[in-house]
Amino acid sequence: QQPVQSPQAVILREGEDAVINCSSSKALYSVHWYRQKHGEAPVFLMILLKGGEQKGHDKISASFNEKKQQSSLYLTASQLSYSGTYFCGTGGVYNQGGKLIFGQGTELSVKP
Amino acid sequence: EPEVTQTPSHQVTQMGQEVILRCVPISNHLYFYWYRQILGQKVEFLVSFYNNEISEKSEIFDDRFSVERPDGSNFTLKIRSTKLEDSAMYFCASRQAFVVEQYFGPGTRLTVT
């Protein structure tokens, strides 16, 4: 079953913050976050593992709540380059093939 | 920085024809994947491949689809008897053993007319 992302779309002004959520009805082992710009491949942002700590990458960070089976991606002081579609992927158990099941995506537009 | 490469970048074929999409995974990676993305939709898992055999496949991966690792570097996806609904972007991904991060190639846009 695919994870559910919210919101579906968000429009920001440069410098504003955003939160994208990813929820699953199944127990999560790992949550992978990717950003995809139009016509390009998904680019790996970060991964959160069950039992792992919160990760950060520049002004983008994420958390993983095992009890709620939910991950959240935090974009702080957004830049124009943050625009794109953000996908969360769940699964990725490394010793079981590791397929990723992606959510439907959240389209983020950062305006000047 | 090593990266996954895919060829061709765009393939146009007529319905009913066969196509082969090629991928060169990152050299020390052992797990390989194909995903597809219909325009404007989410990325969907097709198949995973490890140790020269399919680990898992989705419902999309019917008997028209096959994968192969013909040599030590290439990983191919073959689609026989293509249908209009096969039109999509196809992404190859790979990862190392004992690591879950997957790295995606730039994709091949397949257009079936």
Side-chain angles (χ1 to χ4, degrees):
Chain A
Q1 290 180 340
Q2 72 173 66
V4 177
Q5 291 183 232
S6 62
Q8 288 190 332
V10 59
I11 299 174
L12 298 174
R13 290 287 178 193
E14 211 172 355
E16 292 181 338
D17 302 339
V19 179
I20 300 171
N21 297 306
C22 174
S23 299
S24 174
S25 59
K26 291 178 63 175
L28 296 176
Y29 173 81
S30 62
V31 179
H32 307 230
W33 285 98
Y34 287 82
R35 177 171 60 212
Q36 184 180 34
K37 295 194 181 277
H38 183 69
E40 299 180 9
V43 173
F44 175 76
L45 291 176
M46 66 186 74
I47 181 174
L48 296 104
L49 301 177
K50 182 177 178 179
E53 71 278 16
Q54 182 167 337
K55 294 277 187 84
H57 172 70
D58 196 10
K59 291 183 179 147
I60 300 175
S61 61
S63 62
F64 184 9
N65 186 321
E66 294 174 37
K67 284 187 178 178
K68 292 185 178 179
Q69 293 169 187
Q70 177 178 307
S71 176
S72 297
L73 185 73
Y74 306 94
L75 300 109
T76 306
S78 58
Q79 305 167 16
L80 296 176
S81 61
Y82 287 3
S83 292
T85 302
Y86 289 77
F87 290 98
C88 68
T90 59
V93 180
Y94 73 81
N95 61 344
Q96 295 179 14
K99 72 178 182 185
L100 290 177
I101 302 299
F102 286 94
Q104 80 279 17
T106 295
E107 187 169 352
L108 181 77
S109 298
V110 181
K111 308 288 186 186
Chain B
E1 185 176 332
E3 56 184 20
V4 178
T5 60
Q6 290 185 242
T7 55
S9 57
H10 191 190
Q11 174 89 49
V12 181
T13 190
Q14 289 191 329
M15 194 167 54
Q17 298 296 304
E18 174 182 291
V19 295
I20 298 177
L21 310 183
R22 291 184 167 81
C23 168
V24 179
I26 296 173
S27 62
N28 63 341
H29 287 191
L30 299 178
Y31 291 80
F32 313 113
Y33 304 85
W34 284 102
Y35 293 86
R36 84 167 184 193
Q37 186 178 33
I38 294 171
L39 185 64
Q41 299 186 21
K42 67 181 174 75
V43 178
E44 299 175 288
F45 167 76
L46 289 178
V47 65
S48 57
F49 190 86
Y50 170 69
N51 200 26
N52 280 321
E53 59 183 33
I54 291 174
S55 307
E56 191 171 0
K57 58 185 180 180
S58 71
E59 293 176 351
I60 302 167
F61 196 88
D62 61 31
D63 56 9
R64 300 180 299 113
F65 290 78
S66 60
V67 289
E68 194 177 38
R69 189 157 162 80
D71 52 43
S73 59
N74 290 285
F75 178 51
T76 62
L77 174 68
K78 182 190 290 187
I79 309 174
R80 295 182 296 274
S81 303
T82 50
K83 302 178 180 180
L84 294 176
E85 53 264 39
D86 293 332
S87 294
M89 194 75 150
Y90 288 81
F91 294 106
C92 172
S94 69
R95 68 174 176 91
Q96 294 176 306
F98 308 111
V99 172
V100 292
E101 293 98 309
Q102 294 183 24
Y103 292 89
F104 281 70
T108 293
R109 178 166 298 286
L110 176 65
T111 302
V112 182
T113 61

